[in-house]
Amino acid sequence: MRVFKKLMMLGLFLLATQTIFSQSKITGMVIDGDFNGPLPGANVFVKGTKDGATTGFDGKFEFTTSMASGEIVVSYLGFKTVVIPFTGSTNLGNISLKGDENQLEAVVVIGKGVIDLASDRKTPIAVSTIKAAEIQEKVGTADITQAMVNTPSVYVADQSRGYGDSNIRVRGFEQDNTAVLINGQPVNGMEDGLVYWSNWSGLTDIANGIQIQRGLGSSKLAISSVGGTINIVTRATDKKEGGFASLGVANNSYFKTLAGYNTGMNEKGWGMSIMMSHWQGEGYTIGTQGNGQNYFISVGYQPNDKHNFNFLLTGAPQYHNQSFSQRISVYLDKGRKYNGNWGTLNGNFKSEVGNYYHKPVANLNWDYTISENSNVSTVLYASLGRGGSVGSVGSRVRTADGQIDFDQIYANNLASATGRSTYALRNSVNNHSWYGLVSNFETKLSDEISFNAGLDIRTYKGSHFRQITDLLGADYFLDNGNVNIPNNQISATYKSNPWSALFNYASESERYAWDYDERINYGGVFSQIEYSNDNFSAFFQGSVSNQSHVRWDRYQYLPENEKADAVNNTGYNAKGGVAYNINENNTVYGNAGYYSRQPYHDNIYLNFGNDVNPLTENEKILGLELGYSFTSKFISANLNAYRTSWKDRVTSSSTTATAGQVVGTTVLNDGDIIYTTNQGVEQLHQGVELDFNARPTKKLNLRGFASVGDWQYKGDVVTVKRDQDRNVLLETRDDVDGGKVGGAAQTSWGLGVRYELLPRFNFDADWRNYDKLYSDVGAIKENLELPKYDLVDAGLSYKMLVGKDDKNSVNFRLNVNNVFGEVYLASLSTTNQAQDGDETFNGIKTNNIGYFGLGRTWNFTIRYNF
């Protein structure tokens, strides 16, 4: 018996020993395959068991299992599940997950070498990445700028003047000084640097992700990211067959339909993805109806492992009515949805202001893997923009309640003895043809050193003129300004239709007010070298570019003088930085950059004529940044400090005149537009930024941000004011030293939460506070501070599985923006200071001109994935 007990104990000991030693330790890191960053919250487990873990904010995981071999399943909502076999203790290394239903897994990761994501460089920058899943959830039926509101130092003005009329500023700099790239293709206007988001309404449907690089950014192109770089990566061609369909509805009779299908990649390496959508709505502000479409076609071809090709064609034709800003007193009297720019004709709605545009964009990408260490990425692109704005010309007549009296205007035109119009509707047409090529060569010189070199070539031709769209009962419109066609009687009219605008617009003899073209050619080269090891990295990047400008004016000049003198400007930039990994959780870095940027075309030629502006010179920008990053399993945080000095610049703004307002010696009418240009402006923007993400439990995710800025004008400026026909009204020299930069909140805070109530059923909410917001009037010494305000957005998401696996599903999403319906001033364009006895709104004099932000809005989307 004693021997039996000993044998029994020995057997149990051996069994326990075997169990202990059969434990397998599984480690690794899960990364986002599209942006090469860590993917926190991914589920990693052994198939058929409960053994597993959830990745931390560093993307890492570690757990033990009693299984000696088996399969590891890695999954994350919105990404394709990966299954990896293992035997014994295994370090799985980096596990890359690709996008699922909300993102198309590309046959070609299009233009990988020219997209310039922050992860392509080891040395960090101040960056925020917004993935496709969040874009689809947060944006709903709004435009894509709504996805960026929870980002440090990013201010999105929810303008209530029309669909797509939002305005975004980064670190206080306007859109013309924040570079916007789509798949590495520059899209800021080459004449003025502006971006009109209504022309890009389809980006919400096709965006694979957004990376907002604040400050110097990681782009190697010869662009000046003064405020930062908004890098939007779109879908390409899906490898697997499938598709989706969705329906969205929202406040003010908005609805949107969307459908897409992917053929998958066949055995010969070909694949195609297509998507189409339609939207329409009445608009939050009265009389701001809009409608549009979006189309997306992507064809991929992968003949072998070395070559990837992708052709992409997309466009988003749209039309929307607008509303000019009013005095605050008007909104308080008539309601903040009031719009005085519409009326009725024979009982039918008619607007006098709006926008229509169609901008088809095509690009061909070629990625060539030369060897294990070297590759070339090239994108050839073309963009044809057609359309413009809608406005009026002539004597406006209003009804007793302040609306446009189109019936009386029509009667006045019919009563004209000569048939000449007293009032008509017109288009300000802004057509362009833009072609370009970006190519980047990348090679690893050693394990620690990488080198890039490339070129950026663009050619652009813009055509600008006015045409008549509705004579309202008159026989013709008389134009007396064209030196080549005196007393021109124009009877031809053209529809404000984004589809017909591609080919149908006024001939030279049918144009009025102005008619000119410009040609801008751009050539740049760039290079970057980076050294990195486990603990230290450093980089240097430089670029040089030349721009040539020429202008043809057929309206103000006779044929022998219609061509202006050509102007050539050379610019350059240089950036460098270092980073040190203190340990696996802590990193510090610093970056510095200097830009000598050529002035925009609109600032080179004086008063929209052929005379060259002698005051323009290259703008000088010096940027300095310091940063600290902390990453652990449960929290990640970034702290950044910046200082950006911008000298020798030219700024422009516009305001709406009140009745009887005098500028110089000119008495203006109510609603007249005043354009103000400030030359020689210097701005100094400095501040600190904080953002964090925390995951205290598997179901709870917290995030937040804070931005504290001090943005001021420095020195003196020359100020020129012009009327809406571009005549000079007044020219002065002003001291603006210490004046506050307006148009964006200099201080902002935000907190967000996301909680999984039930499996696949989530609640999320975001609170934001905006303070130190000043009137948007350009460079002045004494600016007017607007009241601070808070916004709260909330949403619910549910994913319902259809069938036996996750392939088919139905997603439901409800968003409510400005939950508490706060009434807030989003922008002012005047600075009238309140005096004792003046009527005020939250301390602001009510004769100031501006607009209120959106009230409570909602949208609901249902999407079927198959």
Side-chain angles (χ1 to χ4, degrees):
M1 177 66 75
R2 185 175 297 174
V3 174
F4 176 76
K5 287 183 177 180
K6 290 182 177 179
L7 290 173
M8 196 75 169
M9 291 296 292
L10 178 61
L12 290 173
F13 175 77
L14 292 173
L15 181 61
T17 303
Q18 183 180 13
T19 300
I20 292 173
F21 283 99
S22 66
Q23 292 280 334
S24 298
K25 183 178 180 181
I26 308 298
T27 60
M29 179 177 180
V30 180
I31 63 173
D32 182 334
D34 294 304
F35 291 93
N36 294 326
L39 196 59
N43 296 310
V44 186
F45 63 94
V46 179
K47 189 174 183 179
T49 75
K50 295 183 178 180
D51 299 335
T54 301
T55 59
F57 275 97
D58 54 4
K60 296 179 181 179
F61 63 89
E62 179 181 321
F63 65 91
T64 58
T65 177
S66 60
M67 301 291 290
S69 62
E71 293 181 323
I72 302 294
V73 179
V74 185
S75 64
Y76 189 84
L77 181 65
F79 289 79
K80 293 184 182 295
T81 298
V82 171
V83 179
I84 305 172
F86 78 97
T87 302
S89 295
T90 304
N91 182 352
L92 298 175
N94 290 343
I95 304 170
S96 177
L97 297 188
K98 292 288 187 178
D100 194 1
E101 73 236 14
N102 289 321
Q103 307 187 109
L104 292 177
E105 180 184 1
V107 167
V108 181
V109 182
I110 57 175
K112 185 175 181 180
V114 299
I115 290 179
D116 281 330
L117 298 176
S119 57
D120 295 338
R121 197 176 70 200
K122 302 295 183 183
T123 309
I125 58 172
V127 64
S128 300
T129 299
I130 305 165
K131 299 182 178 70
E134 183 176 354
I135 295 172
Q136 293 292 333
E137 283 190 347
K138 292 293 185 180
V139 172
T141 50
D143 64 61
I144 199 168
T145 58
Q146 186 64 30
M148 310 179 207
V149 296
N150 296 301
T151 306
S153 293
V154 173
Y155 184 76
V156 179
D158 291 328
Q159 297 184 11
S160 56
R161 289 186 276 185
Y163 289 107
D165 287 336
S166 57
N167 180 281
I168 185 169
R169 306 191 185 199
V170 181
R171 288 183 174 174
F173 293 103
E174 299 182 48
Q175 292 185 145
D176 55 344
N177 298 299
T178 297
V180 179
L181 306 174
I182 298 178
N183 296 332
Q185 171 186 337
V187 299
N188 295 75
M190 292 191 68
E191 302 167 24
D192 53 18
L194 295 176
V195 177
Y196 298 94
W197 293 104
S198 59
N199 300 341
W200 300 97
S201 60
L203 283 176
T204 301
D205 303 327
I206 65 174
N208 210 27
I210 305 170
Q211 198 169 79
I212 304 175
Q213 303 170 7
R214 302 184 299 279
L216 297 172
S218 65
S219 177
K220 297 181 288 292
L221 299 185
I223 57 175
S224 296
S225 306
V226 183
T229 302
I230 299 174
N231 206 335
I232 301 173
V233 182
T234 72
R235 299 170 171 177
T237 311
D238 201 331
K239 285 183 178 179
K240 295 185 178 180
E241 184 180 7
F244 63 89
S246 74
L247 171 66
V249 295
N251 51 279
N252 299 101
S253 304
Y254 181 99
F255 80 88
K256 178 178 182 177
T257 55
L258 171 69
Y261 177 71
N262 316 303
T263 65
M265 185 173 66
N266 62 26
E267 295 179 355
K268 295 183 178 180
W270 287 93
M272 176 185 288
S273 294
I274 59 174
M275 188 208 67
M276 299 190 72
S277 70
H278 172 83
W279 65 269
Q280 64 185 63
E282 293 298 311
Y284 179 82
T285 298
I286 297 172
T288 56
Q289 300 90 331
N291 68 82
Q293 297 78 38
N294 180 30
Y295 54 88
F296 170 86
I297 303 172
S298 181
V299 179
Y301 176 53
Q302 185 176 0
N304 51 52
D305 292 338
K306 286 186 174 294
H307 298 278
N308 285 325
F309 298 91
N310 198 88
F311 173 78
L312 185 151
L313 173 66
T314 186
Q318 58 79 34
Y319 176 91
H320 67 277
N321 296 319
Q322 296 174 309
S323 171
F324 286 157
S325 299
Q326 303 283 342
R327 290 188 298 273
I328 296 173
S329 58
V330 174
Y331 291 117
L332 295 178
D333 178 45
K334 299 179 179 294
R336 59 176 169 162
K337 292 186 177 183
Y338 173 73
N339 175 5
N341 296 110
W342 66 276
T344 59
L345 179 61
N346 297 323
N348 297 316
F349 172 89
K350 200 169 191 66
S351 176
E352 71 165 358
V353 294
N355 177 274
Y356 69 105
Y357 216 78
H358 190 176
K359 187 181 176 75
V361 176
N363 58 53
L364 176 64
N365 292 269
W366 173 36
D367 290 335
Y368 172 37
T369 303
I370 301 171
S371 66
E372 183 178 352
N373 294 324
S374 302
N375 64 83
V376 175
S377 183
T378 302
V379 56
L380 177 67
Y381 61 87
S383 169
L384 300 177
R386 299 291 186 268
S389 65
V390 179
S392 62
V393 55
S395 300
R396 183 184 293 112
V397 181
R398 292 190 180 275
T399 62
D401 60 359
Q403 300 306 130
I404 307 298
D405 193 342
F406 283 107
D407 289 322
Q408 184 60 53
I409 290 170
Y410 198 92
N412 292 345
N413 282 341
L414 288 178
S416 171
T418 63
R420 176 183 174 182
S421 70
T422 63
Y423 176 99
L425 296 180
R426 52 80 181 163
N427 297 140
S428 291
V429 178
N430 300 292
N431 293 342
H432 74 252
S433 300
W434 186 347
Y435 306 94
L437 180 144
V438 180
S439 185
N440 178 63
F441 168 74
E442 180 180 11
T443 186
K444 288 187 69 66
L445 302 178
S446 68
D447 291 339
E448 294 82 18
I449 300 176
S450 63
F451 175 76
N452 289 266
L455 55 87
D456 174 11
I457 300 172
R458 315 172 210 168
T459 182
Y460 172 98
K461 182 180 180 181
S463 296
H464 308 274
F465 54 88
R466 279 185 171 177
Q467 64 186 20
I468 300 298
T469 185
D470 193 339
L471 285 166
L472 294 169
D475 294 328
Y476 65 90
F477 169 80
L478 181 63
D479 177 34
N480 293 314
N482 192 328
V483 299
N484 293 294
I485 314 176
N487 300 317
N488 188 18
Q489 296 185 10
I490 301 173
S491 58
T493 60
Y494 295 86
K495 293 182 179 180
S496 305
N497 183 296
W499 287 97
S500 63
L502 283 175
F503 309 104
N504 190 28
Y505 44 83
S507 64
E508 293 182 7
S509 63
E510 299 166 337
R511 302 171 182 180
Y512 87 98
W514 56 77
D515 179 19
Y516 63 91
D517 298 340
E518 70 267 313
R519 169 73 69 182
I520 306 172
N521 293 322
Y522 179 102
V525 293
F526 54 85
S527 183
Q528 175 180 290
I529 189 167
E530 182 174 35
Y531 171 86
S532 65
N533 57 32
D534 292 339
N535 297 317
F536 176 80
S537 65
F539 83 97
F540 177 79
Q541 181 266 324
S543 64
V544 61
S545 62
N546 181 265
Q547 290 184 4
S548 66
H549 302 259
V550 68
R551 187 179 190 276
W552 294 267
D553 193 321
R554 295 172 293 273
Y555 190 85
Q556 301 181 78
Y557 301 91
L558 295 173
E560 60 268 23
N561 299 316
E562 71 175 29
K563 185 176 180 181
D565 292 337
V567 176
N568 283 273
N569 292 311
T570 299
Y572 62 90
N573 65 48
K575 296 187 286 187
V578 296
Y580 178 67
N581 298 325
I582 301 171
N583 52 43
E584 66 176 1
N585 302 114
N586 298 274
T587 301
V588 293
Y589 68 90
N591 295 314
Y594 181 80
Y595 299 89
S596 176
R597 189 182 77 173
Q598 305 97 318
Y600 286 120
H601 179 92
D602 284 356
N603 295 324
I604 290 176
Y605 296 100
L606 277 171
N607 303 326
F608 301 95
N610 284 352
D611 294 332
V612 176
N613 188 346
L615 297 179
T616 59
E617 57 181 301
N618 277 19
E619 300 169 2
K620 286 103 177 157
I621 302 104
L622 176 63
L624 303 172
E625 299 174 349
L626 292 174
Y628 166 72
S629 298
F630 174 80
T631 304
S632 71
K633 184 176 181 180
F634 301 104
I635 188 171
S636 68
N638 301 283
L639 179 65
N640 305 293
Y642 64 90
R643 184 183 190 276
T644 304
S645 171
W646 188 10
K647 297 182 179 181
D648 298 325
R649 58 171 301 226
V650 176
T651 65
S652 297
S653 61
S654 64
T655 58
T656 305
T658 57
Q661 181 176 346
V662 178
V663 179
T665 59
T666 304
V667 179
L668 300 176
N669 299 315
D670 183 44
D672 285 349
I673 305 299
I674 305 170
Y675 295 97
T676 301
T677 300
N678 297 311
Q679 297 171 320
V681 182
E682 178 184 351
Q683 286 181 218
L684 178 62
H685 292 225
Q686 48 194 354
V688 293
E689 303 162 338
L690 171 70
D691 65 273
F692 72 87
N693 274 278
R695 196 178 185 91
T697 70
K698 184 177 180 180
K699 294 186 176 183
L700 178 63
N701 195 116
L702 303 173
R703 69 178 180 182
F705 71 88
S707 305
V708 180
D710 180 19
W711 311 329
Q712 298 184 9
Y713 293 103
K714 297 293 182 181
D716 296 339
V717 298
V718 175
T719 302
V720 181
K721 293 183 180 293
R722 299 180 179 88
D723 64 17
Q724 58 192 4
D725 293 320
R726 302 178 181 179
N727 299 310
V728 175
L729 302 175
L730 181 67
E731 182 171 331
T732 60
R733 178 176 292 273
D734 302 301
D735 170 24
V736 299
D737 194 58
K740 296 294 187 179
V741 177
Q746 300 202 17
T747 299
S748 58
W749 313 80
L751 289 173
V753 60
R754 182 181 178 89
Y755 185 74
E756 186 179 26
L757 302 169
L758 297 169
R760 304 183 307 281
F761 183 44
N762 299 282
F763 166 78
D764 60 85
D766 291 283
W767 161 79
R768 300 182 299 280
N769 172 269
Y770 297 103
D771 198 3
K772 304 299 180 184
L773 172 64
Y774 296 89
S775 187
D776 187 15
V777 292
I780 63 172
K781 191 174 183 67
E782 299 294 334
N783 208 342
L784 181 62
E785 184 176 352
L786 280 64
K788 63 182 179 181
Y789 64 92
D790 299 86
L791 293 177
V792 176
D793 304 330
L796 289 169
S797 300
Y798 177 63
K799 179 180 179 180
M800 181 177 69
L801 303 181
V802 180
K804 297 182 179 179
D805 52 35
D806 292 352
K807 182 178 179 181
N808 299 339
S809 64
V810 181
N811 290 6
F812 302 87
R813 175 67 184 182
L814 173 66
N815 286 313
V816 180
N817 298 318
N818 195 1
V819 172
F820 301 109
E822 178 165 350
V823 179
Y824 64 97
L825 282 170
S827 179
L828 282 185
S829 55
T830 53
T831 57
N832 299 316
Q833 302 286 345
Q835 305 294 326
D836 291 341
D838 286 338
E839 183 180 356
T840 62
F841 171 81
N842 290 344
I844 301 296
K845 194 172 180 179
T846 58
N847 71 345
N848 277 293
I849 296 173
Y851 61 88
F852 287 93
L854 299 178
R856 184 184 300 109
T857 61
W858 62 270
N859 58 74
F860 176 75
T861 304
I862 180 172
R863 176 183 175 117
Y864 174 57
N865 305 289
F866 59 90

